[in-house]
Coordinates of all heavy atoms in Angstrom, one line a residue:
M1229 N -41.8 32.2 -5.2 CA -41.4 32.0 -6.6 C -40.6 33.2 -7.1 O -40.8 34.3 -6.8 CB -42.7 31.9 -7.5 CG -42.4 31.7 -8.9 SD -44.0 31.4 -9.7 CE -43.5 31.4 -11.4
S1230 N -39.6 32.9 -7.9 CA -38.7 33.9 -8.4 C -39.3 34.6 -9.5 O -40.3 34.2 -10.1 CB -37.4 33.2 -8.9 OG -37.6 32.4 -10.0
E1231 N -38.7 35.7 -9.9 CA -39.3 36.6 -11.0 C -39.2 35.8 -12.3 O -38.3 35.0 -12.6 CB -38.4 37.8 -11.1 CG -38.9 38.8 -12.1 CD -38.1 40.1 -12.0 OE1 -37.7 40.5 -10.9 OE2 -38.0 40.7 -13.1
L1232 N -40.2 36.0 -13.1 CA -40.3 35.4 -14.4 C -39.2 35.9 -15.4 O -38.9 37.1 -15.4 CB -41.6 35.6 -15.1 CG -42.8 35.1 -14.4 CD1 -44.1 35.5 -15.2 CD2 -42.8 33.6 -14.2
R1233 N -38.6 35.0 -16.2 CA -37.6 35.4 -17.2 C -38.4 36.1 -18.2 O -39.6 35.9 -18.4 CB -36.9 34.1 -17.8 CG -36.1 33.4 -16.8 CD -35.4 32.2 -17.4 NE -34.5 32.7 -18.5 CZ -33.8 31.9 -19.3 NH1 -33.9 30.6 -19.2 NH2 -33.0 32.4 -20.2
R1234 N -37.7 36.9 -19.0 CA -38.3 37.7 -20.1 C -37.6 37.4 -21.4 O -36.4 37.7 -21.5 CB -38.2 39.2 -19.8 CG -38.8 40.1 -20.8 CD -38.7 41.6 -20.4 NE -39.0 42.4 -21.4 CZ -38.4 43.5 -21.8 NH1 -37.3 43.9 -21.1 NH2 -38.7 44.3 -22.8
F1235 N -38.3 36.8 -22.3 CA -37.8 36.5 -23.6 C -38.2 37.6 -24.5 O -39.2 38.3 -24.3 CB -38.4 35.2 -24.1 CG -38.0 33.9 -23.3 CD1 -38.9 33.0 -23.0 CD2 -36.7 33.8 -22.9 CE1 -38.5 31.8 -22.3 CE2 -36.3 32.6 -22.1 CZ -37.2 31.7 -21.9
R1236 N -37.4 37.8 -25.5 CA -37.6 38.9 -26.5 C -37.3 38.4 -27.9 O -36.6 37.4 -28.1 CB -36.8 40.2 -26.2 CG -37.1 40.7 -24.8 CD -36.2 41.8 -24.5 NE -36.7 43.0 -25.1 CZ -36.0 44.1 -25.3 NH1 -34.8 44.2 -24.9 NH2 -36.5 45.1 -25.9
N1237 N -37.9 39.0 -28.9 CA -37.5 38.7 -30.3 C -36.1 39.1 -30.6 O -35.7 40.2 -30.0 CB -38.5 39.4 -31.3 CG -39.9 38.8 -31.2 OD1 -40.1 37.7 -30.9 ND2 -40.9 39.7 -31.5
H1238 N -35.5 38.4 -31.5 CA -34.1 38.9 -31.9 C -34.2 39.1 -33.4 O -34.3 38.2 -34.2 CB -33.1 37.8 -31.6 CG -31.7 38.3 -31.8 ND1 -31.0 38.0 -32.9 CD2 -30.9 39.0 -31.0 CE1 -29.8 38.6 -32.8 NE2 -29.7 39.2 -31.6
I1239 N -34.2 40.4 -33.8 CA -34.4 40.8 -35.2 C -33.4 41.8 -35.5 O -33.1 42.8 -34.8 CB -35.8 41.4 -35.4 CG1 -36.9 40.5 -35.0 CG2 -36.0 42.0 -36.8 CD1 -38.3 41.0 -35.0
N1240 N -32.7 41.5 -36.6 CA -31.6 42.5 -37.1 C -30.6 42.8 -36.1 O -30.2 43.9 -36.0 CB -32.3 43.7 -37.7 CG -31.4 44.4 -38.7 OD1 -30.5 43.8 -39.3 ND2 -31.5 45.7 -38.8
G1241 N -30.2 41.8 -35.3 CA -29.1 41.9 -34.4 C -29.5 42.6 -33.1 O -28.6 42.9 -32.3
E1242 N -30.8 42.8 -32.8 CA -31.1 43.4 -31.5 C -32.3 42.7 -31.0 O -33.2 42.1 -31.7 CB -31.4 44.9 -31.7 CG -32.6 45.2 -32.6 CD -32.8 46.7 -32.9 OE1 -31.9 47.5 -32.7 OE2 -33.9 47.2 -33.2
F1243 N -32.4 42.7 -29.6 CA -33.6 42.2 -28.9 C -34.7 43.2 -28.9 O -34.5 44.4 -28.6 CB -33.2 41.7 -27.5 CG -32.3 40.5 -27.6 CD1 -30.9 40.7 -27.5 CD2 -32.8 39.3 -27.7 CE1 -30.1 39.6 -27.5 CE2 -32.0 38.1 -27.7 CZ -30.6 38.3 -27.7
R1244 N -35.9 42.7 -29.2 CA -37.1 43.6 -29.3 C -38.3 43.0 -28.6 O -38.5 41.7 -28.8 CB -37.4 43.9 -30.7 CG -36.4 44.5 -31.6 CD -37.0 44.7 -33.0 NE -35.9 45.1 -33.9 CZ -36.2 45.4 -35.2 NH1 -37.4 45.3 -35.6 NH2 -35.3 45.9 -36.0
D1245 N -39.2 43.8 -28.1 CA -40.5 43.3 -27.7 C -41.3 43.2 -28.9 O -40.9 43.7 -30.0 CB -41.1 44.3 -26.8 CG -40.3 44.5 -25.4 OD1 -39.8 43.4 -25.0 OD2 -40.2 45.6 -24.9
A1246 N -42.5 42.6 -28.8 CA -43.4 42.6 -29.9 C -43.8 44.0 -30.3 O -43.8 44.9 -29.4 CB -44.7 41.8 -29.5
A1247 N -44.1 44.3 -31.5 CA -44.4 45.6 -32.0 C -45.5 46.3 -31.2 O -45.5 47.5 -30.9 CB -44.7 45.6 -33.5
D1248 N -46.5 45.5 -30.9 CA -47.7 46.0 -30.1 C -47.5 45.8 -28.6 O -48.5 46.1 -27.9 CB -49.0 45.4 -30.7 CG -49.1 43.9 -30.5 OD1 -48.2 43.3 -29.8 OD2 -50.0 43.3 -31.0
G1249 N -46.4 45.3 -28.2 CA -46.1 45.1 -26.7 C -46.8 44.0 -26.1 O -46.6 43.7 -24.8
R1250 N -47.6 43.1 -26.8 CA -48.3 42.0 -26.2 C -47.3 40.9 -25.8 O -46.3 40.7 -26.4 CB -49.3 41.5 -27.1 CG -50.4 42.4 -27.3 CD -51.6 41.8 -28.1 NE -51.2 41.1 -29.3 CZ -51.8 40.1 -29.9 NH1 -52.9 39.7 -29.3 NH2 -51.3 39.5 -30.9
T1251 N -47.6 40.2 -24.7 CA -46.8 39.1 -24.3 C -47.7 38.0 -23.9 O -48.9 38.1 -23.7 CB -45.9 39.5 -23.0 OG1 -46.8 39.8 -22.0 CG2 -44.9 40.6 -23.3
T1252 N -47.0 36.8 -23.7 CA -47.7 35.6 -23.2 C -46.9 34.9 -22.2 O -45.6 35.1 -22.2 CB -48.1 34.7 -24.3 OG1 -49.0 33.6 -23.9 CG2 -46.9 34.1 -25.0
E1253 N -47.5 34.2 -21.3 CA -46.6 33.4 -20.3 C -46.2 32.1 -21.0 O -46.9 31.5 -21.7 CB -47.5 33.1 -19.1 CG -47.7 34.2 -18.2 CD -48.4 33.9 -16.9 OE1 -49.2 32.8 -16.8 OE2 -48.2 34.6 -15.9
V1254 N -45.0 31.7 -20.6 CA -44.4 30.4 -21.0 C -44.6 29.5 -19.8 O -44.1 29.8 -18.7 CB -43.0 30.6 -21.5 CG1 -42.4 29.2 -22.0 CG2 -42.8 31.7 -22.6
I1255 N -45.2 28.4 -20.0 CA -45.5 27.5 -18.9 C -44.6 26.3 -18.9 O -44.3 25.7 -20.0 CB -47.0 26.9 -19.1 CG1 -48.0 28.1 -19.1 CG2 -47.3 26.0 -18.0 CD1 -48.1 29.0 -17.9
N1256 N -44.1 25.9 -17.8 CA -43.2 24.7 -17.6 C -44.2 23.5 -17.6 O -45.0 23.4 -16.7 CB -42.4 24.8 -16.3 CG -41.6 23.6 -16.1 OD1 -41.9 22.5 -16.6 ND2 -40.5 23.8 -15.3
P1257 N -44.1 22.6 -18.6 CA -45.0 21.5 -18.7 C -44.9 20.6 -17.5 O -45.8 19.8 -17.2 CB -44.8 20.9 -20.0 CG -43.4 21.3 -20.3 CD -43.2 22.6 -19.7
A1258 N -43.8 20.5 -16.9 CA -43.6 19.6 -15.8 C -44.2 20.1 -14.5 O -44.6 19.3 -13.7 CB -42.0 19.4 -15.5
T1259 N -44.4 21.4 -14.3 CA -45.0 21.9 -13.1 C -46.3 22.6 -13.3 O -47.1 22.8 -12.4 CB -44.0 22.9 -12.5 OG1 -43.9 24.1 -13.3 CG2 -42.6 22.3 -12.2
G1260 N -46.6 23.0 -14.6 CA -47.8 23.7 -14.9 C -47.7 25.2 -14.5 O -48.7 25.9 -14.6
M1261 N -46.5 25.6 -14.0 CA -46.3 27.0 -13.6 C -45.5 27.9 -14.6 O -44.7 27.3 -15.4 CB -45.5 27.0 -12.3 CG -46.1 26.2 -11.2 SD -47.6 26.9 -10.6 CE -47.1 28.5 -10.0
P1262 N -45.9 29.1 -14.7 CA -45.2 30.0 -15.6 C -43.8 30.2 -15.2 O -43.5 30.3 -14.0 CB -46.0 31.3 -15.6 CG -46.7 31.3 -14.3 CD -46.9 29.8 -14.0
Y1263 N -42.8 30.3 -16.1 CA -41.4 30.6 -15.8 C -40.9 31.7 -16.5 O -39.8 32.2 -16.3 CB -40.6 29.3 -15.9 CG -40.3 28.9 -17.3 CD1 -39.1 29.3 -18.0 CD2 -41.1 28.1 -18.0 CE1 -38.8 29.0 -19.3 CE2 -40.9 27.7 -19.3 CZ -39.7 28.1 -19.9 OH -39.5 27.8 -21.2
A1264 N -41.6 32.2 -17.6 CA -41.1 33.3 -18.4 C -42.3 34.0 -19.1 O -43.4 33.5 -19.1 CB -40.1 32.8 -19.5
T1265 N -42.0 35.2 -19.6 CA -42.9 35.8 -20.5 C -42.2 35.9 -21.9 O -41.0 35.9 -22.0 CB -43.3 37.2 -20.1 OG1 -42.1 38.1 -20.0 CG2 -44.0 37.2 -18.8
A1266 N -43.0 35.9 -23.0 CA -42.5 35.9 -24.3 C -43.3 36.9 -25.1 O -44.5 37.0 -24.8 CB -42.4 34.5 -25.0
P1267 N -42.7 37.5 -26.1 CA -43.5 38.4 -27.0 C -44.6 37.6 -27.7 O -44.3 36.5 -28.2 CB -42.5 39.0 -28.0 CG -41.2 38.3 -27.7 CD -41.3 37.4 -26.5
L1268 N -45.7 38.1 -27.8 CA -46.8 37.5 -28.6 C -46.7 38.2 -30.0 O -47.5 39.2 -30.3 CB -48.1 37.7 -28.0 CG -49.3 36.9 -28.5 CD1 -49.0 35.4 -28.5 CD2 -50.6 37.2 -27.7
S1269 N -45.8 37.7 -30.8 CA -45.5 38.4 -32.1 C -46.7 38.3 -33.1 O -47.4 37.3 -33.1 CB -44.2 37.7 -32.7 OG -43.2 37.9 -31.8
A1270 N -46.8 39.3 -33.9 CA -47.8 39.4 -34.9 C -47.2 39.7 -36.2 O -46.0 39.7 -36.4 CB -48.8 40.5 -34.5
A1271 N -48.0 40.0 -37.2 CA -47.6 40.3 -38.6 C -46.4 41.3 -38.7 O -45.5 41.1 -39.4 CB -48.8 40.7 -39.5
A1272 N -46.5 42.4 -37.9 CA -45.5 43.4 -38.0 C -44.1 42.9 -37.6 O -43.1 43.2 -38.2 CB -45.9 44.6 -37.1
D1273 N -44.1 42.0 -36.6 CA -42.9 41.4 -36.1 C -42.3 40.4 -37.1 O -41.1 40.4 -37.4 CB -43.1 40.6 -34.7 CG -43.7 41.6 -33.7 OD1 -43.0 42.6 -33.3 OD2 -44.8 41.3 -33.3
V1274 N -43.2 39.6 -37.8 CA -42.7 38.7 -38.8 C -42.2 39.5 -40.0 O -41.2 39.2 -40.5 CB -43.9 37.8 -39.2 CG1 -43.5 36.9 -40.4 CG2 -44.3 36.9 -38.0
D1275 N -42.9 40.6 -40.4 CA -42.4 41.4 -41.5 C -41.1 42.0 -41.2 O -40.2 42.0 -42.1 CB -43.5 42.5 -41.8 CG -44.8 42.0 -42.4 OD1 -44.8 40.8 -42.8 OD2 -45.7 42.8 -42.4
A1276 N -40.8 42.4 -40.0 CA -39.6 43.0 -39.6 C -38.5 42.0 -39.7 O -37.4 42.2 -40.2 CB -39.6 43.6 -38.2
A1277 N -38.8 40.7 -39.2 CA -37.8 39.7 -39.2 C -37.5 39.2 -40.7 O -36.3 39.0 -41.0 CB -38.3 38.5 -38.4
M1278 N -38.5 39.1 -41.5 CA -38.3 38.7 -42.9 C -37.5 39.8 -43.6 O -36.6 39.5 -44.4 CB -39.7 38.5 -43.6 CG -40.4 37.3 -43.0 SD -39.4 35.7 -43.2 CE -39.3 35.7 -45.0
A1279 N -37.8 41.1 -43.4 CA -37.0 42.2 -44.1 C -35.5 42.1 -43.6 O -34.7 42.3 -44.5 CB -37.6 43.5 -43.7
A1280 N -35.3 41.9 -42.4 CA -33.9 41.8 -41.9 C -33.2 40.6 -42.5 O -32.1 40.7 -42.9 CB -33.9 41.7 -40.4
A1281 N -33.9 39.5 -42.6 CA -33.3 38.3 -43.3 C -33.1 38.5 -44.7 O -32.0 38.1 -45.2 CB -34.2 37.0 -43.0
E1282 N -34.0 39.1 -45.4 CA -33.8 39.4 -46.8 C -32.6 40.3 -47.1 O -31.8 40.1 -48.0 CB -35.0 40.0 -47.3 CG -35.0 40.3 -48.9 CD -36.4 40.8 -49.4 OE1 -37.1 41.4 -48.7 OE2 -36.5 40.6 -50.6
A1283 N -32.5 41.3 -46.2 CA -31.3 42.3 -46.4 C -30.0 41.6 -46.0 O -29.0 41.9 -46.6 CB -31.5 43.5 -45.4
A1284 N -30.0 40.6 -45.1 CA -28.7 39.9 -44.7 C -28.3 38.9 -45.7 O -27.2 38.5 -45.8 CB -28.9 39.4 -43.3
F1285 N -29.3 38.3 -46.4 CA -29.0 37.2 -47.3 C -27.9 37.3 -48.3 O -27.1 36.5 -48.4 CB -30.3 36.6 -47.9 CG -30.0 35.4 -48.9 CD1 -29.7 34.2 -48.3 CD2 -30.0 35.6 -50.2 CE1 -29.5 33.1 -49.0 CE2 -29.7 34.4 -51.0 CZ -29.5 33.2 -50.4
P1286 N -27.9 38.4 -49.1 CA -26.8 38.5 -50.1 C -25.4 38.4 -49.5 O -24.5 37.7 -50.1 CB -27.0 39.9 -50.7 CG -28.5 40.2 -50.5 CD -28.8 39.6 -49.2
A1287 N -25.1 38.9 -48.3 CA -23.9 38.8 -47.7 C -23.5 37.4 -47.3 O -22.4 36.9 -47.5 CB -23.7 39.7 -46.5
W1288 N -24.6 36.7 -46.8 CA -24.4 35.3 -46.4 C -24.2 34.4 -47.7 O -23.3 33.6 -47.7 CB -25.6 34.8 -45.6 CG -25.6 33.3 -45.3 CD1 -26.3 32.3 -45.9 CD2 -24.8 32.7 -44.2 NE1 -26.0 31.1 -45.3 CE2 -25.1 31.4 -44.3 CE3 -23.9 33.2 -43.3 CZ2 -24.5 30.4 -43.4 CZ3 -23.4 32.3 -42.4 CH2 -23.6 30.9 -42.5
R1289 N -25.0 34.6 -48.6 CA -25.0 33.9 -49.9 C -23.6 34.0 -50.6 O -23.0 33.0 -51.1 CB -26.0 34.4 -50.9 CG -26.0 33.8 -52.3 CD -26.8 34.5 -53.3 NE -26.2 35.9 -53.4 CZ -26.9 37.0 -53.7 NH1 -28.2 36.9 -53.9 NH2 -26.3 38.1 -53.8
D1290 N -22.9 35.1 -50.5 CA -21.7 35.4 -51.2 C -20.5 34.9 -50.4 O -19.4 35.0 -50.9 CB -21.6 36.8 -51.5 CG -22.6 37.3 -52.5 OD1 -23.2 36.4 -53.2 OD2 -22.9 38.5 -52.6
L1291 N -20.7 34.4 -49.2 CA -19.5 33.9 -48.5 C -19.0 32.6 -49.0 O -19.8 31.8 -49.6 CB -19.9 33.6 -47.0 CG -20.1 34.8 -46.1 CD1 -20.6 34.4 -44.7 CD2 -18.9 35.7 -46.0
V1292 N -17.8 32.3 -48.9 CA -17.2 31.0 -49.4 C -17.6 30.0 -48.4 O -17.8 30.3 -47.2 CB -15.7 31.1 -49.6 CG1 -15.3 32.0 -50.7 CG2 -15.0 31.4 -48.3
P1293 N -17.7 28.7 -48.7 CA -18.1 27.6 -47.8 C -17.3 27.6 -46.4 O -17.9 27.4 -45.4 CB -17.9 26.3 -48.5 CG -18.1 26.8 -50.0 CD -17.5 28.1 -50.0
G1294 N -16.0 27.9 -46.5 CA -15.2 27.9 -45.3 C -15.7 29.0 -44.3 O -15.6 28.8 -43.1
E1295 N -16.1 30.1 -44.8 CA -16.7 31.2 -43.9 C -18.0 30.7 -43.3 O -18.3 31.0 -42.1 CB -16.9 32.5 -44.7 CG -15.6 33.1 -45.0 CD -14.8 33.6 -43.8 OE1 -15.4 34.4 -43.0 OE2 -13.6 33.2 -43.6
H1296 N -18.9 30.1 -44.1 CA -20.1 29.5 -43.6 C -19.8 28.6 -42.4 O -20.4 28.6 -41.4 CB -20.9 28.7 -44.6 CG -21.6 29.5 -45.6 ND1 -22.1 29.0 -46.8 CD2 -21.8 30.9 -45.7 CE1 -22.7 30.0 -47.5 NE2 -22.5 31.1 -46.8
Q1297 N -18.8 27.7 -42.6 CA -18.4 26.7 -41.6 C -17.9 27.4 -40.3 O -18.4 27.0 -39.3 CB -17.3 25.8 -42.1 CG -16.8 24.8 -41.1 CD -15.6 24.0 -41.6 OE1 -14.9 24.4 -42.5 NE2 -15.4 22.8 -41.0
K1298 N -17.2 28.4 -40.5 CA -16.7 29.2 -39.3 C -17.8 29.7 -38.5 O -17.8 29.5 -37.3 CB -15.7 30.3 -39.8 CG -15.1 31.1 -38.6 CD -14.2 32.2 -39.1 CE -14.9 33.4 -39.7 NZ -14.1 34.5 -40.0
Y1299 N -18.8 30.3 -39.2 CA -19.9 30.9 -38.4 C -20.8 29.8 -37.8 O -21.3 30.0 -36.6 CB -20.7 31.7 -39.3 CG -20.1 33.1 -39.6 CD1 -19.7 33.4 -40.9 CD2 -19.9 34.1 -38.6 CE1 -19.1 34.6 -41.2 CE2 -19.3 35.2 -38.9 CZ -18.9 35.5 -40.2 OH -18.3 36.7 -40.5
L1300 N -21.0 28.7 -38.5 CA -21.8 27.7 -38.0 C -21.2 27.0 -36.8 O -21.8 26.6 -35.8 CB -22.2 26.6 -39.0 CG -23.1 27.2 -40.1 CD1 -23.2 26.2 -41.3 CD2 -24.5 27.5 -39.6
L1301 N -19.8 26.8 -36.8 CA -19.1 26.2 -35.7 C -19.2 27.2 -34.5 O -19.2 26.7 -33.3 CB -17.7 25.9 -36.1 CG -17.5 24.8 -37.0 CD1 -16.1 24.7 -37.5 CD2 -17.9 23.5 -36.4
K1302 N -19.1 28.5 -34.7 CA -19.2 29.4 -33.6 C -20.6 29.3 -33.0 O -20.7 29.3 -31.7 CB -19.0 30.8 -34.2 CG -19.0 31.9 -33.1 CD -18.6 33.2 -33.7 CE -18.5 34.3 -32.6 NZ -18.1 35.6 -33.1
I1303 N -21.6 29.1 -33.7 CA -23.0 29.0 -33.2 C -23.0 27.6 -32.4 O -23.5 27.6 -31.3 CB -24.1 28.9 -34.3 CG1 -24.2 30.3 -34.9 CG2 -25.4 28.4 -33.8 CD1 -24.9 30.3 -36.2
A1304 N -22.4 26.6 -32.9 CA -22.4 25.3 -32.2 C -21.7 25.4 -30.9 O -22.1 24.9 -29.9 CB -21.8 24.2 -33.1
D1305 N -20.5 26.1 -30.9 CA -19.8 26.3 -29.6 C -20.6 27.1 -28.6 O -20.6 26.7 -27.4 CB -18.5 27.1 -29.9 CG -17.5 26.3 -30.7 OD1 -17.6 25.0 -30.7 OD2 -16.5 26.8 -31.2
A1306 N -21.4 28.1 -29.0 CA -22.2 28.8 -28.1 C -23.3 28.0 -27.6 O -23.6 28.1 -26.3 CB -22.8 30.0 -28.8
I1307 N -23.9 27.1 -28.4 CA -24.9 26.2 -27.9 C -24.4 25.2 -26.9 O -24.9 25.0 -25.8 CB -25.6 25.4 -29.1 CG1 -26.4 26.4 -29.9 CG2 -26.5 24.3 -28.5 CD1 -26.9 25.9 -31.2
E1308 N -23.2 24.6 -27.2 CA -22.5 23.7 -26.2 C -22.2 24.3 -25.0 O -22.3 23.8 -23.9 CB -21.3 23.1 -26.9 CG -21.6 22.1 -27.9 CD -20.4 21.5 -28.6 OE1 -19.2 21.9 -28.2 OE2 -20.5 20.7 -29.6
A1309 N -21.8 25.6 -25.0 CA -21.3 26.3 -23.8 C -22.6 26.5 -22.8 O -22.4 26.6 -21.6 CB -20.7 27.7 -24.1
R1310 N -23.8 26.7 -23.4 CA -25.0 26.9 -22.6 C -25.9 25.6 -22.6 O -27.1 25.8 -22.3 CB -25.7 28.0 -23.2 CG -24.9 29.3 -23.1 CD -25.6 30.5 -23.7 NE -26.8 30.8 -23.0 CZ -27.8 31.6 -23.5 NH1 -27.6 32.3 -24.6 NH2 -28.8 31.8 -22.8
A1311 N -25.3 24.5 -22.9 CA -26.1 23.2 -23.0 C -27.0 23.0 -21.7 O -28.2 22.7 -21.8 CB -25.2 22.0 -23.3
E1312 N -26.4 23.2 -20.6 CA -27.2 22.9 -19.4 C -28.3 23.9 -19.2 O -29.4 23.4 -18.9 CB -26.2 23.1 -18.2 CG -26.8 22.7 -16.8 CD -26.9 21.2 -16.7 OE1 -26.2 20.5 -17.3 OE2 -27.8 20.8 -15.9
E1313 N -28.1 25.1 -19.5 CA -29.2 26.1 -19.5 C -30.2 25.9 -20.5 O -31.4 26.0 -20.3 CB -28.6 27.5 -19.7 CG -29.6 28.6 -19.7 CD -29.0 30.0 -20.0 OE1 -27.7 30.1 -20.1 OE2 -29.7 30.9 -20.3
L1314 N -29.8 25.5 -21.7 CA -30.8 25.3 -22.8 C -31.6 24.0 -22.6 O -32.7 23.9 -23.1 CB -30.1 25.2 -24.1 CG -29.4 26.6 -24.5 CD1 -28.5 26.4 -25.8 CD2 -30.4 27.7 -24.8
A1315 N -31.0 23.0 -21.9 CA -31.7 21.8 -21.7 C -32.8 22.0 -20.6 O -33.9 21.5 -20.7 CB -30.8 20.7 -21.2

């Protein structure tokens, strides 16, 4: 079996482990086998994510609709580029 993938939280533009370092296995439902580990996030992680979102919101709110569209299309392109992997 190959090494497990490692997922991390993405908060304020950076990838982070759970604040307390806890993880959980991610199980493939088709095989019943683990294929990754993921942070077992708790209140401190949620608080950090919410604080980052709150700090970023004014800049997002003040963008004109065309700028929103540009960023959303960029996200859609990234998802399409990795569609096979994400599926």
